[in-house]
Coordinates of all heavy atoms in Angstrom, one line a residue:
P118 N -3.9 11.9 -1.7 CA -4.8 11.9 -2.9 C -4.9 13.3 -3.6 O -5.4 13.4 -4.6 CB -6.1 11.5 -2.3 CG -6.0 11.9 -0.9 CD -4.6 11.8 -0.5
T119 N -4.3 14.3 -3.0 CA -4.3 15.6 -3.6 C -3.1 15.8 -4.5 O -2.1 15.2 -4.4 CB -4.3 16.7 -2.5 OG1 -3.1 16.6 -1.8 CG2 -5.5 16.6 -1.6
A120 N -3.3 16.7 -5.5 CA -2.3 16.9 -6.5 C -1.2 17.9 -5.9 O -1.5 18.7 -5.1 CB -2.9 17.6 -7.7
P121 N 0.0 17.7 -6.3 CA 1.1 18.6 -5.8 C 0.8 20.0 -6.3 O 0.2 20.2 -7.4 CB 2.4 18.0 -6.4 CG 2.0 16.7 -7.0 CD 0.5 16.6 -7.1
I122 N 1.3 21.0 -5.6 CA 1.1 22.4 -5.9 C 1.6 22.7 -7.3 O 1.1 23.5 -8.0 CB 1.7 23.3 -4.8 CG1 0.9 23.3 -3.6 CG2 1.9 24.7 -5.3 CD1 -0.5 23.9 -3.7
D123 N 2.8 22.2 -7.6 CA 3.4 22.5 -8.9 C 2.6 22.0 -10.1 O 2.8 22.4 -11.3 CB 4.8 22.1 -9.0 CG 5.0 20.5 -8.9 OD1 4.0 19.9 -8.4 OD2 6.0 20.0 -9.2
R124 N 1.7 21.1 -9.9 CA 0.8 20.6 -11.0 C -0.4 21.4 -11.2 O -1.1 21.2 -12.2 CB 0.5 19.1 -10.8 CG 1.6 18.2 -11.0 CD 1.1 16.8 -10.9 NE 2.0 15.9 -11.4 CZ 1.8 14.6 -11.5 NH1 0.7 14.1 -11.0 NH2 2.7 13.8 -12.0
L125 N -0.8 22.2 -10.3 CA -2.1 22.9 -10.4 C -1.9 24.1 -11.4 O -0.8 24.7 -11.5 CB -2.5 23.5 -9.0 CG -2.8 22.5 -8.0 CD1 -3.1 23.2 -6.7 CD2 -4.1 21.7 -8.4
P126 N -2.9 24.3 -12.2 CA -2.8 25.4 -13.2 C -2.7 26.8 -12.5 O -3.4 27.0 -11.5 CB -4.0 25.3 -14.1 CG -5.0 24.5 -13.2 CD -4.2 23.7 -12.3
R127 N -1.9 27.7 -13.1 CA -1.9 29.0 -12.5 C -3.1 29.8 -12.9 O -3.8 29.5 -13.9 CB -0.6 29.7 -13.1 CG 0.6 29.0 -12.7 CD 1.8 29.8 -13.2 NE 3.0 29.2 -12.8 CZ 4.0 28.8 -13.6 NH1 3.9 29.1 -14.9 NH2 5.1 28.2 -13.1
P128 N -3.5 30.8 -12.1 CA -4.7 31.5 -12.4 C -4.7 32.1 -13.8 O -5.7 32.1 -14.5 CB -4.8 32.6 -11.4 CG -4.0 32.0 -10.2 CD -3.0 31.2 -10.8
Q129 N -3.6 32.6 -14.3 CA -3.5 33.2 -15.6 C -3.7 32.1 -16.7 O -4.4 32.4 -17.7 CB -2.1 33.8 -15.8 CG -2.0 34.6 -17.2 CD -3.0 35.7 -17.3 OE1 -3.3 36.4 -16.3 NE2 -3.5 35.9 -18.5
E130 N -3.3 30.9 -16.5 CA -3.5 29.8 -17.4 C -5.0 29.5 -17.5 O -5.5 29.2 -18.6 CB -2.7 28.6 -17.0 CG -1.2 28.7 -17.2 CD -0.5 27.5 -16.6 OE1 -1.1 26.7 -16.0 OE2 0.7 27.5 -16.9
L131 N -5.7 29.5 -16.4 CA -7.1 29.3 -16.4 C -7.9 30.4 -17.2 O -8.8 30.1 -18.0 CB -7.7 29.2 -14.9 CG -7.3 28.0 -14.1 CD1 -7.8 28.2 -12.7 CD2 -7.9 26.8 -14.7
V132 N -7.5 31.6 -16.9 CA -8.1 32.7 -17.7 C -7.9 32.6 -19.2 O -8.7 32.7 -20.0 CB -7.6 34.1 -17.1 CG1 -8.1 35.2 -18.0 CG2 -8.1 34.3 -15.7
D133 N -6.6 32.3 -19.5 CA -6.2 32.1 -20.9 C -7.0 31.0 -21.6 O -7.5 31.2 -22.7 CB -4.8 31.8 -21.1 CG -3.9 33.1 -20.7 OD1 -4.5 34.2 -20.7 OD2 -2.7 32.9 -20.5
S134 N -7.2 29.9 -20.9 CA -7.9 28.8 -21.5 C -9.4 29.1 -21.7 O -10.0 28.7 -22.6 CB -7.7 27.5 -20.7 OG -8.3 27.6 -19.5
R135 N -10.0 29.8 -20.7 CA -11.4 30.2 -20.8 C -11.5 31.2 -21.9 O -12.5 31.1 -22.7 CB -11.9 30.8 -19.5 CG -12.0 29.7 -18.4 CD -12.6 30.4 -17.1 NE -12.5 29.4 -16.1 CZ -12.4 29.7 -14.8 NH1 -12.3 31.0 -14.4 NH2 -12.4 28.7 -13.9
L136 N -10.6 32.1 -22.0 CA -10.7 33.1 -23.1 C -10.5 32.4 -24.5 O -11.3 32.8 -25.4 CB -9.6 34.1 -22.9 CG -9.6 35.3 -23.9 CD1 -10.9 36.1 -23.8 CD2 -8.4 36.2 -23.6
V137 N -9.7 31.5 -24.6 CA -9.5 30.8 -25.8 C -10.8 30.0 -26.2 O -11.2 30.0 -27.3 CB -8.3 29.8 -25.8 CG1 -8.3 28.8 -26.9 CG2 -7.0 30.6 -25.7
R138 N -11.3 29.3 -25.2 CA -12.6 28.6 -25.5 C -13.7 29.5 -25.9 O -14.5 29.2 -26.8 CB -13.0 27.7 -24.3 CG -12.2 26.5 -24.1 CD -12.8 25.6 -23.0 NE -12.8 26.4 -21.8 CZ -12.4 25.9 -20.6 NH1 -12.1 24.7 -20.5 NH2 -12.5 26.7 -19.5
L139 N -13.8 30.6 -25.2 CA -14.9 31.6 -25.5 C -14.7 32.2 -26.9 O -15.6 32.2 -27.7 CB -14.9 32.7 -24.5 CG -16.0 33.8 -24.7 CD1 -17.4 33.2 -24.7 CD2 -15.8 34.9 -23.7
S140 N -13.4 32.5 -27.2 CA -13.1 33.1 -28.5 C -13.4 32.0 -29.6 O -13.9 32.3 -30.7 CB -11.7 33.5 -28.6 OG -11.4 34.5 -27.7
L141 N -13.0 30.8 -29.3 CA -13.3 29.7 -30.3 C -14.8 29.5 -30.5 O -15.2 29.4 -31.6 CB -12.6 28.4 -29.8 CG -12.5 27.3 -30.8 CD1 -11.7 27.7 -32.0 CD2 -11.9 26.1 -30.2
A142 N -15.5 29.6 -29.4 CA -17.0 29.4 -29.5 C -17.6 30.5 -30.3 O -18.5 30.3 -31.1 CB -17.6 29.3 -28.1
V143 N -17.1 31.8 -30.2 CA -17.6 32.9 -30.9 C -17.4 32.8 -32.4 O -18.2 33.2 -33.2 CB -17.0 34.2 -30.3 CG1 -17.3 35.4 -31.2 CG2 -17.6 34.5 -28.9
V144 N -16.3 32.1 -32.7 CA -15.9 32.0 -34.2 C -16.6 30.7 -34.7 O -17.1 30.7 -35.8 CB -14.4 31.9 -34.3 CG1 -14.0 31.5 -35.8 CG2 -13.7 33.2 -34.0
V145 N -16.6 29.6 -34.0 CA -17.1 28.4 -34.5 C -18.6 28.3 -34.6 O -19.1 27.8 -35.6 CB -16.6 27.2 -33.6 CG1 -17.3 25.9 -33.9 CG2 -15.1 27.1 -33.7
A146 N -19.3 28.9 -33.7 CA -20.8 28.8 -33.8 C -21.4 29.5 -35.1 O -22.2 28.8 -35.8 CB -21.4 29.5 -32.5
P147 N -21.0 30.7 -35.4 CA -21.5 31.2 -36.7 C -21.0 30.4 -37.9 O -21.7 30.3 -38.9 CB -20.9 32.7 -36.7 CG -20.6 33.0 -35.4 CD -20.2 31.7 -34.7
L148 N -19.8 29.9 -37.9 CA -19.3 29.1 -39.0 C -20.1 27.8 -39.2 O -20.5 27.5 -40.3 CB -17.8 28.8 -38.7 CG -17.1 28.0 -39.9 CD1 -17.1 28.9 -41.1 CD2 -15.7 27.6 -39.4
R149 N -20.5 27.2 -38.0 CA -21.3 26.0 -38.1 C -22.7 26.3 -38.6 O -23.3 25.6 -39.4 CB -21.4 25.3 -36.8 CG -20.2 24.5 -36.4 CD -20.4 23.8 -35.1 NE -19.3 23.0 -34.8 CZ -18.9 22.6 -33.6 NH1 -19.6 23.0 -32.6 NH2 -17.8 21.9 -33.4
F150 N -23.2 27.5 -38.2 CA -24.6 27.9 -38.6 C -24.5 28.1 -40.1 O -25.4 27.6 -40.9 CB -24.9 29.2 -37.9 CG -26.1 29.9 -38.5 CD1 -27.4 29.5 -38.0 CD2 -26.0 30.9 -39.4 CE1 -28.5 30.1 -38.5 CE2 -27.2 31.6 -39.9 CZ -28.4 31.2 -39.4
L151 N -23.6 28.8 -40.6 CA -23.4 29.1 -42.1 C -23.2 27.8 -42.9 O -23.9 27.6 -43.9 CB -22.3 30.1 -42.3 CG -22.1 30.5 -43.7 CD1 -23.3 31.3 -44.2 CD2 -20.8 31.4 -43.9
A152 N -22.4 26.9 -42.4 CA -22.1 25.7 -43.1 C -23.4 24.8 -43.1 O -23.7 24.2 -44.1 CB -21.0 24.9 -42.4
F153 N -24.1 24.8 -42.0 CA -25.4 24.0 -42.0 C -26.4 24.5 -43.0 O -26.9 23.7 -43.8 CB -26.0 24.1 -40.6 CG -27.3 23.4 -40.5 CD1 -27.4 22.0 -40.3 CD2 -28.5 24.1 -40.6 CE1 -28.6 21.4 -40.2 CE2 -29.7 23.5 -40.5 CZ -29.8 22.2 -40.3
W154 N -26.6 25.8 -43.1 CA -27.6 26.3 -44.0 C -27.1 26.3 -45.4 O -27.9 26.1 -46.4 CB -28.1 27.7 -43.6 CG -29.0 27.5 -42.4 CD1 -28.7 27.9 -41.1 CD2 -30.3 26.9 -42.4 NE1 -29.8 27.5 -40.3 CE2 -30.8 26.9 -41.0 CE3 -31.1 26.3 -43.3 CZ2 -32.0 26.4 -40.7 CZ3 -32.3 25.8 -43.0 CH2 -32.8 25.8 -41.6
T155 N -25.8 26.3 -45.6 CA -25.2 26.2 -47.0 C -25.5 24.8 -47.4 O -25.8 24.5 -48.6 CB -23.7 26.5 -46.9 OG1 -23.6 27.9 -46.5 CG2 -23.1 26.3 -48.3
A156 N -25.3 23.8 -46.5 CA -25.5 22.4 -46.9 C -27.0 22.1 -47.2 O -27.3 21.3 -48.1 CB -25.1 21.5 -45.8
V157 N -27.9 22.9 -46.6 CA -29.3 22.7 -46.9 C -29.6 23.4 -48.3 O -30.4 22.8 -49.1 CB -30.1 23.4 -45.8 CG1 -31.6 23.5 -46.2 CG2 -30.0 22.6 -44.5
A158 N -29.0 24.5 -48.6 CA -29.4 25.2 -49.8 C -28.7 24.8 -51.1 O -29.2 24.9 -52.2 CB -29.0 26.7 -49.6
L159 N -27.5 24.2 -51.0 CA -26.7 23.8 -52.1 C -27.4 22.8 -53.1 O -27.3 23.0 -54.3 CB -25.3 23.3 -51.8 CG -24.2 24.3 -51.6 CD1 -22.9 23.6 -51.1 CD2 -24.0 25.1 -52.9
P160 N -28.1 21.9 -52.5 CA -28.8 20.9 -53.5 C -29.8 21.6 -54.4 O -30.0 21.0 -55.5 CB -29.5 19.9 -52.5 CG -28.7 20.0 -51.3 CD -28.2 21.4 -51.2
F161 N -30.3 22.7 -54.1 CA -31.2 23.4 -55.0 C -30.4 23.9 -56.3 O -31.0 24.1 -57.3 CB -31.9 24.6 -54.3 CG -32.9 24.1 -53.3 CD1 -32.6 24.3 -52.0 CD2 -34.1 23.6 -53.7 CE1 -33.6 23.9 -51.0 CE2 -35.0 23.1 -52.8 CZ -34.7 23.3 -51.4
L162 N -29.1 24.1 -56.2 CA -28.3 24.5 -57.3 C -28.1 23.3 -58.2 O -27.6 23.5 -59.4 CB -27.0 25.1 -56.9 CG -27.1 26.4 -56.1 CD1 -25.8 26.9 -55.6 CD2 -27.9 27.5 -56.9
Y163 N -28.3 22.1 -57.8 CA -28.1 20.9 -58.6 C -29.1 20.8 -59.7 O -28.9 20.3 -60.8 CB -28.1 19.6 -57.8 CG -27.2 19.4 -56.7 CD1 -27.4 18.5 -55.7 CD2 -26.0 20.2 -56.6 CE1 -26.5 18.2 -54.7 CE2 -25.1 20.0 -55.5 CZ -25.4 19.0 -54.6 OH -24.5 18.8 -53.6
L164 N -30.3 21.2 -59.3 CA -31.5 21.0 -60.2 C -31.3 21.6 -61.6 O -31.5 20.9 -62.6 CB -32.8 21.5 -59.6 CG -33.2 20.8 -58.3 CD1 -34.4 21.5 -57.7 CD2 -33.5 19.4 -58.6
P165 N -30.9 22.9 -61.8 CA -30.7 23.4 -63.2 C -29.6 22.6 -63.9 O -29.8 22.4 -65.1 CB -30.3 24.8 -63.0 CG -30.7 25.2 -61.6 CD -30.7 23.9 -60.8
L166 N -28.6 22.2 -63.2 CA -27.5 21.4 -63.9 C -28.0 20.1 -64.4 O -27.7 19.6 -65.5 CB -26.3 21.3 -63.0 CG -25.5 22.5 -62.7 CD1 -24.5 22.3 -61.6 CD2 -24.9 23.1 -63.9

Side-chain angles (χ1 to χ4, degrees):
T119 60
I122 287 293
D123 61 341
R124 285 187 164 181
L125 294 175
R127 295 183 180 129
Q129 186 62 34
E130 291 172 351
L131 288 173
V132 170
D133 288 343
S134 67
R135 287 181 188 152
L136 184 61
V137 167
R138 282 190 301 224
L139 179 63
S140 299
L141 192 60
V143 167
V144 171
V145 170
L148 184 63
R149 283 186 178 153
F150 171 83
L151 183 64
F153 174 82
W154 287 108
T155 299
V157 170
L159 273 177
F161 291 106
L162 297 177
Y163 300 164
L164 294 176
L166 289 173

